[in-house]
Amino acid sequence: MLAHPQAGRGQVGRHLSAVLEALGPADPLLLPAATRVDAMSAVSAAVEADALGVVAVGGDGTAHLALQAVAGTQVPLGLVPLGTGNDLADAVGVPKNPIAAARAILADLANSRQLAIDAVQVERVRAAGDSADAEPAVGGQAGGPPPDHVPPHGGKAWYAAILSVGFDSAVNARANRMRWPRGPRRYDLAILAELARLRTYQLTLDLDGTTVETPALLAAIGNTRSYGGGMRMCPSADPTDGLLDVTIVEPVSRLELIRVKPRLYSGTHVDHPAVRTYRASQIQIDAPGAAVFADGELQGSLPLRLTAVPGALRLIGASGQPST
């Protein structure tokens, strides 16, 4: 079990003993998670030792970290949603109550029951101008030290929910740099700051061999439908169809962007004339100067190649039916 007590604004710490008690019959081992490096090392070691399962207690960030070790293996992942954002758990039908989620995991372990969904393999593509020995890996600039969440196998990473490029990623990056204020207000201020410097990116996509080039404020490539705590950016995404859903927002005014944003929660933004949608199983994406995040975690530099890998992630404690 992977859990950081301070995650989810302290929710993990407040519920941890009750979750451990609920999982008690499975004899859970709480992995060290003082740093991301420690956590990644511990999860990888557990997977290599053929653990019966890995349980991520927290939000999308904790799930994303555990995913790097379990994706493409026979070891299943259980989710106990206690983060500030629980979009992956919501998408795959994990109970919202953490104790109910833990009991669902225990029941699936006892009955050898698993749910297989797709996961997305991410690989950095060498951009024009990169040196011949540039590191072809996700998560850091060529020639620099890789961030501590980059997996140590083959220069590839994984995500399970949504990868975003452009405005929303710029907001996320700015909020992560801010030391004040804490909580949701930090993101409100980051949104205002990025609206003030609203930028258009030149987006290039290769969608299963078809090229799309367009100016855009943002793009999202989804295995599941939502990010940011329920914003249905890719409302028709299905994590079992072997395809990635693409949503692009072309340039609009600041006022129009503010007007469209609330429609993300219902998914009706896709009807706006500035929104374009596509589907593909493999996508190459580039947008010079844009920040890129997946599952809310920084993914380093573009361009990237994204491949939907059918059935790459096995889940326990998930019904497969998205929360309404």
Side-chain angles (χ1 to χ4, degrees):
M1 189 167 79
L2 180 65
H4 192 292
Q6 301 307 314
R9 298 177 194 150
Q11 283 199 92
V12 171
R14 290 192 291 273
H15 290 85
L16 188 55
S17 61
V19 171
L20 278 166
E21 183 177 352
L23 288 170
D27 194 21
L29 172 65
L30 186 60
L31 299 174
T35 68
R36 297 180 71 88
V37 172
D38 290 343
M40 188 69 240
S41 177
V43 176
S44 297
V47 170
E48 290 170 5
D50 295 324
L52 291 177
V54 172
V55 177
V57 183
D60 292 323
T62 304
H64 181 81
L65 192 153
L67 176 68
Q68 307 314 309
V70 301
T73 76
Q74 299 298 307
V75 177
L77 175 65
L79 304 172
V80 176
L82 279 168
T84 51
N86 301 299
D87 290 284
L88 178 59
D90 286 345
V92 297
V94 171
K96 292 181 181 295
N97 180 280
I99 306 307
R103 289 172 178 162
I105 291 168
L106 189 65
D108 278 1
L109 283 172
N111 292 285
S112 300
R113 190 168 51 218
Q114 298 180 4
L115 171 71
I117 67 168
D118 307 340
V120 187
Q121 193 174 73
V122 185
E123 184 177 10
R124 184 168 181 264
V125 179
R126 185 170 292 140
D130 274 0
S131 61
D133 59 351
E135 175 62 40
V138 172
Q141 301 292 334
D148 55 20
H149 68 276
V150 177
H153 42 79
K156 295 182 176 68
W158 297 85
Y159 75 90
I162 292 181
L163 179 140
S164 61
V165 170
F167 177 77
D168 284 354
S169 287
V171 169
N172 207 336
R174 180 178 287 273
N176 287 346
R177 294 193 302 267
M178 295 169 63
R179 297 184 179 277
W180 181 92
R182 294 181 179 274
R185 286 281 297 162
R186 182 170 59 179
Y187 288 89
D188 293 341
L189 291 178
I191 288 170
L192 290 175
E194 290 302 321
L195 277 172
R197 63 186 296 272
L198 188 63
R199 177 177 176 181
T200 296
Y201 301 90
Q202 188 56 42
L203 180 70
T204 302
L205 296 171
D206 181 297
L207 305 167
D208 287 338
T210 299
T211 300
V212 173
E213 295 181 340
T214 182
L217 295 180
L218 64 94
I221 300 175
N223 183 48
T224 59
R225 65 186 184 180
S226 68
Y227 65 2
M231 292 189 290
R232 297 184 182 183
M233 193 66 185
C234 302
S236 298
D238 178 353
T240 64
D241 65 2
L243 296 172
L244 301 173
D245 281 36
V246 181
T247 302
I248 298 170
V249 178
E250 295 181 333
V252 294
S253 69
R254 292 176 177 83
L255 181 58
E256 188 64 13
L257 184 60
I258 292 170
R259 285 173 175 163
V260 171
K261 269 289 193 180
R263 294 171 62 177
L264 290 173
Y265 289 96
S266 63
T268 58
H269 62 288
V270 296
D271 298 324
H272 191 279
V275 176
R276 297 165 64 178
T277 60
Y278 303 91
R279 278 191 177 133
S281 60
Q282 186 175 81
I283 297 170
Q284 188 163 310
I285 180 170
D286 196 11
V292 54
F293 281 71
D295 298 342
E297 300 296 310
L298 181 65
Q299 295 298 295
S301 58
L302 296 168
L304 297 175
R305 182 182 297 115
L306 315 174
T307 305
V309 182
L313 177 60
R314 297 168 179 267
L315 297 172
I316 45 178
S319 70
Q321 298 300 314
S323 300
T324 57

mmCIF file of all heavy atoms in Angstrom, residues 195 198 252-262:
data_model
loop_
_atom_site.group_PDB
_atom_site.id
_atom_site.type_symbol
_atom_site.label_atom_id
_atom_site.label_comp_id
_atom_site.label_asym_id
_atom_site.label_seq_id
_atom_site.Cartn_x
_atom_site.Cartn_y
_atom_site.Cartn_z
ATOM 1 N N LEU A 195 -4.654 33.779 -17.656
ATOM 2 C CA LEU A 195 -5.601 34.493 -18.516
ATOM 3 C C LEU A 195 -5.014 35.829 -18.968
ATOM 4 O O LEU A 195 -5.194 36.245 -20.121
ATOM 5 C CB LEU A 195 -6.919 34.733 -17.778
ATOM 6 C CG LEU A 195 -7.924 33.588 -17.779
ATOM 7 C CD1 LEU A 195 -9.088 33.916 -16.853
ATOM 8 C CD2 LEU A 195 -8.441 33.306 -19.190
ATOM 9 N N LEU A 198 -2.724 35.077 -21.830
ATOM 10 C CA LEU A 198 -3.285 33.997 -22.644
ATOM 11 C C LEU A 198 -2.499 33.839 -23.944
ATOM 12 O O LEU A 198 -2.322 34.793 -24.698
ATOM 13 C CB LEU A 198 -4.749 34.277 -22.947
ATOM 14 C CG LEU A 198 -5.527 33.152 -23.630
ATOM 15 C CD1 LEU A 198 -5.588 31.915 -22.741
ATOM 16 C CD2 LEU A 198 -6.949 33.639 -23.964
ATOM 17 N N VAL A 252 -9.890 31.618 -28.780
ATOM 18 C CA VAL A 252 -11.063 32.437 -28.495
ATOM 19 C C VAL A 252 -10.617 33.562 -27.574
ATOM 20 O O VAL A 252 -9.499 33.560 -27.063
ATOM 21 C CB VAL A 252 -12.196 31.622 -27.818
ATOM 22 C CG1 VAL A 252 -12.748 30.569 -28.752
ATOM 23 C CG2 VAL A 252 -11.700 30.986 -26.518
ATOM 24 N N SER A 253 -11.487 34.511 -27.336
ATOM 25 C CA SER A 253 -11.151 35.615 -26.435
ATOM 26 C C SER A 253 -11.105 35.140 -24.994
ATOM 27 O O SER A 253 -11.625 34.066 -24.655
ATOM 28 C CB SER A 253 -12.185 36.731 -26.576
ATOM 29 O OG SER A 253 -13.440 36.295 -26.051
ATOM 30 N N ARG A 254 -10.505 35.942 -24.143
ATOM 31 C CA ARG A 254 -10.473 35.612 -22.717
ATOM 32 C C ARG A 254 -11.881 35.445 -22.167
ATOM 33 O O ARG A 254 -12.171 34.526 -21.404
ATOM 34 C CB ARG A 254 -9.715 36.690 -21.938
ATOM 35 C CG ARG A 254 -8.228 36.743 -22.234
ATOM 36 C CD ARG A 254 -7.571 37.898 -21.484
ATOM 37 N NE ARG A 254 -6.136 37.927 -21.700
ATOM 38 C CZ ARG A 254 -5.543 38.485 -22.761
ATOM 39 N NH1 ARG A 254 -6.307 39.069 -23.697
ATOM 40 N NH2 ARG A 254 -4.222 38.466 -22.883
ATOM 41 N N LEU A 255 -12.763 36.364 -22.554
ATOM 42 C CA LEU A 255 -14.141 36.320 -22.060
ATOM 43 C C LEU A 255 -14.839 35.055 -22.515
ATOM 44 O O LEU A 255 -15.540 34.392 -21.736
ATOM 45 C CB LEU A 255 -14.910 37.549 -22.542
ATOM 46 C CG LEU A 255 -16.375 37.649 -22.075
ATOM 47 C CD1 LEU A 255 -16.451 37.635 -20.556
ATOM 48 C CD2 LEU A 255 -17.026 38.908 -22.646
ATOM 49 N N GLU A 256 -14.622 34.660 -23.775
ATOM 50 C CA GLU A 256 -15.265 33.453 -24.279
ATOM 51 C C GLU A 256 -14.715 32.211 -23.591
ATOM 52 O O GLU A 256 -15.463 31.262 -23.305
ATOM 53 C CB GLU A 256 -15.085 33.354 -25.791
ATOM 54 C CG GLU A 256 -15.876 32.233 -26.442
ATOM 55 C CD GLU A 256 -17.386 32.402 -26.316
ATOM 56 O OE1 GLU A 256 -17.861 33.502 -25.938
ATOM 57 O OE2 GLU A 256 -18.099 31.420 -26.575
ATOM 58 N N LEU A 257 -13.415 32.206 -23.314
ATOM 59 C CA LEU A 257 -12.832 31.069 -22.603
ATOM 60 C C LEU A 257 -13.439 30.932 -21.213
ATOM 61 O O LEU A 257 -13.758 29.821 -20.760
ATOM 62 C CB LEU A 257 -11.312 31.238 -22.500
ATOM 63 C CG LEU A 257 -10.539 30.072 -21.867
ATOM 64 C CD1 LEU A 257 -10.744 28.791 -22.653
ATOM 65 C CD2 LEU A 257 -9.054 30.406 -21.761
ATOM 66 N N ILE A 258 -13.635 32.055 -20.524
ATOM 67 C CA ILE A 258 -14.268 32.044 -19.201
ATOM 68 C C ILE A 258 -15.698 31.513 -19.304
ATOM 69 O O ILE A 258 -16.172 30.764 -18.443
ATOM 70 C CB ILE A 258 -14.242 33.452 -18.585
ATOM 71 C CG1 ILE A 258 -12.801 33.850 -18.241
ATOM 72 C CG2 ILE A 258 -15.109 33.512 -17.327
ATOM 73 C CD1 ILE A 258 -12.648 35.304 -17.858
ATOM 74 N N ARG A 259 -16.391 31.890 -20.397
ATOM 75 C CA ARG A 259 -17.767 31.424 -20.582
ATOM 76 C C ARG A 259 -17.829 29.922 -20.847
ATOM 77 O O ARG A 259 -18.749 29.229 -20.399
ATOM 78 C CB ARG A 259 -18.402 32.173 -21.758
ATOM 79 C CG ARG A 259 -18.785 33.603 -21.447
ATOM 80 C CD ARG A 259 -19.235 34.289 -22.721
ATOM 81 N NE ARG A 259 -19.741 35.641 -22.469
ATOM 82 C CZ ARG A 259 -19.897 36.564 -23.401
ATOM 83 N NH1 ARG A 259 -19.583 36.281 -24.671
ATOM 84 N NH2 ARG A 259 -20.355 37.761 -23.097
ATOM 85 N N VAL A 260 -16.849 29.407 -21.595
ATOM 86 C CA VAL A 260 -16.871 27.994 -21.979
ATOM 87 C C VAL A 260 -16.455 27.081 -20.831
ATOM 88 O O VAL A 260 -16.951 25.961 -20.702
ATOM 89 C CB VAL A 260 -15.954 27.765 -23.203
ATOM 90 C CG1 VAL A 260 -15.787 26.268 -23.493
ATOM 91 C CG2 VAL A 260 -16.522 28.473 -24.426
ATOM 92 N N LYS A 261 -15.550 27.550 -19.979
ATOM 93 C CA LYS A 261 -14.974 26.713 -18.917
ATOM 94 C C LYS A 261 -16.025 25.962 -18.098
ATOM 95 O O LYS A 261 -15.879 24.759 -17.838
ATOM 96 C CB LYS A 261 -14.089 27.556 -18.003
ATOM 97 C CG LYS A 261 -12.636 27.624 -18.417
ATOM 98 C CD LYS A 261 -11.944 26.290 -18.172
ATOM 99 C CE LYS A 261 -10.445 26.411 -18.265
ATOM 100 N NZ LYS A 261 -9.777 25.119 -18.028
ATOM 101 N N PRO A 262 -17.115 26.608 -17.620
ATOM 102 C CA PRO A 262 -18.086 25.863 -16.800
ATOM 103 C C PRO A 262 -18.728 24.686 -17.535
ATOM 104 O O PRO A 262 -19.174 23.729 -16.902
ATOM 105 C CB PRO A 262 -19.134 26.929 -16.450
ATOM 106 C CG PRO A 262 -18.408 28.231 -16.570
ATOM 107 C CD PRO A 262 -17.435 28.043 -17.691
#
